[in-house]
Amino acid sequence: MRNFLRRAVHGTPADLGHPHQRAADAQCPDGAAGHEDGAPGAPPAPDILPEPALRRAAAEFVRLHHGEAGLGDPAPRVAQVFAEIAEGGTYRHTPEELAFGARLAWRNAARCIGRLYWHSLRVIDHRELTGADDVAAASAEHLREAVRDRGRIRPVITVFAPDAPGRPGPRIWNEQLIRYAGYERPGGGVTGDPRNVGITALARHLGWPGGPGSPFDVLPLVIQGTDDKPRWFRLPPDAVLEVPIEHPEHPALAGLELRWHAVPAMACMCLEIGGVCYPAAPFNGWYMGTEIGARNLADSDRYDLLPRVAELLGLDTGSDRSLWKDRALVELNRAVLHSFDRAGVTMTDHHTESRRFLTHLGREESKGRTVGADWSWIVPPLSGSATPVFHRTYDTVERHPAYVHHPEALARTRGESGDALV
């Protein structure tokens, strides 16, 4: 989801998706393991704002909610929140505040091109859940819910317990709920996704036996409950919808046996609302084709497939001046769009989404709201100058509520542990 990412500290994930399957049992994913002696990752210390800063952030959020929702005088609610903070060092959002804050965090995401439908985000309130087993089961159900309507992906966020004084909320170590393993080969190189070598090694350390060893083995979830060590949980097959990639005119491409998962569900970002941090709040939208075709499958530090695609197409790769990379990139993106359409799975293209973003700008400006946007993320990684978002500048202001990448969370996505997590 290039769409949701607010601030990346270490690298820039390509597939960050638009928030936009089916009913199945909600039992805990099988294969839970962990708690082995010496498992990395002491429980993280909650990062709580000092009381004056928390009061300011809370009051600003409550006033914003009351103003936009037409709830009248916010003073009584502000006073109630201040009393909760004075007594316990934090406060609890109402269900309405939680939903409003999660949706505004999407609307405020400066690096998201797909914000036109921010108001449609479905918010699942699981703030009562703190244990790894429960978080794993609810995360699997989140993936089912996202595609419950036969491949028509809906935007969903599941919010687990927040950080509180003396009690950290749960953490999901994975960058996304669905990621493919990266296995380092003894002679060098990686089978699978090189981006995920670290988290794959950590899962193996925790006891995951690994998958079949294909380039597209689904990683288990690595989850750390409150006052717990990280543990691994296998995602049930019915929670993972995947699309095989084939080309509409070049059947040889199917011989590469490519596929990609349908739901880009970010899992490592903190949802910050009114000074309260929800460290486990996975959210999803739908993919824009270029996230898969121009980044995940094409980047030289990811699957690096352009040379193989060019070979299948019979292109002259002897010189960059033949533009073989450009031609292979276009055909790979055509294959991705064709395959998702053929499977009936929601996906947008970069031309359509660029026009939708300008529609979003117009709607927000008509309401007197300035839209923050990062040009380098809004402009697609393919044919940027052919899209309307290329030919203008944007205000890069960042606002709250927000989805935030904390450095220690990014360290966890790389499988790092120990002092780096505290």
Side-chain angles (χ1 to χ4, degrees):
M1 203 187 280
R2 276 179 109 212
N3 317 9
F4 279 108
L5 190 61
R6 176 170 170 261
R7 51 177 136 103
V9 182
H10 301 284
T12 52
D15 52 333
L16 304 177
H18 296 341
H20 267 9
Q21 55 193 37
R22 50 198 169 264
D25 65 278
Q27 67 183 13
C28 179
D30 65 348
H35 284 308
E36 67 174 78
D37 292 339
D47 185 14
I48 305 299
L49 287 176
E51 185 170 324
L54 180 57
R55 286 163 58 95
R56 286 194 299 272
E60 180 182 350
F61 170 70
V62 169
R63 291 174 185 134
L64 179 63
H65 180 216
H66 278 244
E68 290 205 18
L71 299 178
D73 183 9
R77 175 58 179 156
V78 170
Q80 182 183 35
V81 167
F82 282 3
E84 288 185 46
I85 293 172
E87 181 178 355
T90 189
Y91 69 103
R92 181 176 175 85
H93 293 119
T94 67
E96 294 76 18
E97 288 170 344
L98 183 69
F100 176 78
R103 290 168 184 147
L104 251 66
W106 184 4
R107 193 179 80 189
N108 290 338
R111 292 182 170 182
C112 171
I113 193 174
R115 284 177 269 171
L116 179 61
Y117 305 107
W118 64 270
H119 51 79
S120 69
L121 181 66
R122 185 188 174 205
V123 180
I124 300 176
D125 185 352
H126 274 322
R127 287 177 288 172
E128 77 282 3
L129 300 183
T130 61
D133 298 83
D134 291 333
V135 171
S139 295
E141 186 58 26
H142 175 121
L143 292 170
R144 299 184 185 104
E145 183 62 27
V147 289
R148 195 173 296 280
D149 189 13
R150 297 181 178 227
R152 180 182 177 273
I153 298 175
R154 62 186 304 179
V156 179
I157 182 170
T158 299
V159 184
F160 298 105
D163 281 343
R167 192 213 67 198
R171 263 73 173 162
I172 300 172
W173 285 45
N174 308 62
E175 186 176 46
Q176 296 191 25
L177 293 183
I178 305 173
R179 276 299 206 188
Y180 295 118
Y183 305 104
E184 288 188 299
R185 295 193 291 264
V190 173
T191 297
D193 193 341
R195 183 178 186 85
N196 302 321
V197 165
I199 193 73
T200 301
L202 173 67
R204 299 294 297 271
H205 176 80
L206 294 175
W208 180 52
S214 80
F216 299 99
D217 288 357
V218 175
L219 276 168
L221 295 178
V222 177
I223 298 175
Q224 187 169 13
T226 296
D227 300 325
D228 202 354
K229 294 178 180 179
R231 302 163 58 197
W232 68 272
F233 298 83
R234 197 187 312 275
L235 278 168
D238 73 299
V240 181
L241 178 61
E242 297 181 285
V243 177
I245 306 300
E246 57 185 41
H247 195 280
E249 297 157 9
H250 299 283
L253 189 68
L256 296 179
E257 298 183 340
L258 307 179
R259 62 179 183 269
W260 205 260
H261 57 90
V263 181
M266 288 299 295
C268 65
M269 298 182 78
C270 172
L271 170 61
E272 290 185 358
I273 303 176
V276 176
C277 177
Y278 298 91
F283 58 91
N284 76 273
W286 53 78
Y287 271 114
M288 187 163 71
T290 52
E291 298 174 82
I292 301 170
R295 300 299 311 277
N296 300 335
L297 296 177
D299 280 357
S300 59
D301 61 349
R302 297 292 296 282
Y303 280 84
D304 193 23
L305 287 173
L306 293 188
R308 297 184 68 185
V309 172
E311 180 182 3
L312 288 174
L313 297 177
L315 302 180
D316 175 11
T317 61
S319 170
D320 287 345
R321 293 179 68 84
S322 70
L323 301 185
W324 67 267
K325 293 179 184 177
D326 309 72
R327 295 168 67 187
L329 191 62
V330 168
E331 296 307 326
L332 183 55
N333 278 269
R334 286 187 66 206
V336 169
L337 290 169
H338 164 78
S339 300
F340 272 68
D341 287 347
R342 190 167 184 267
V345 174
T346 305
M347 169 174 277
T348 189
D349 65 86
H350 51 295
H351 296 287
T352 299
E353 209 56 48
S354 295
R355 292 193 297 270
R356 288 174 178 171
F357 182 69
L358 295 187
T359 299
H360 170 69
L361 285 182
R363 287 184 182 177
E364 291 299 298
E365 289 168 357
S366 71
K367 298 177 187 296
R369 296 194 290 254
T370 302
V371 177
D374 184 333
W375 187 95
S376 66
W377 280 73
I378 296 300
V379 175
L382 176 68
S383 305
S385 63
T387 64
V389 294
F390 178 91
H391 301 279
R392 58 166 295 164
T393 58
Y394 304 95
D395 183 352
T396 57
V397 64
E398 294 182 345
R399 295 182 174 85
H400 286 257
Y403 296 105
V404 179
H405 260 321
H406 293 304
E408 67 276 12
L410 285 167
R412 286 192 290 271
T413 68
R414 297 190 298 270
E416 298 171 1
S417 58
D419 293 341
L421 299 179
V422 178

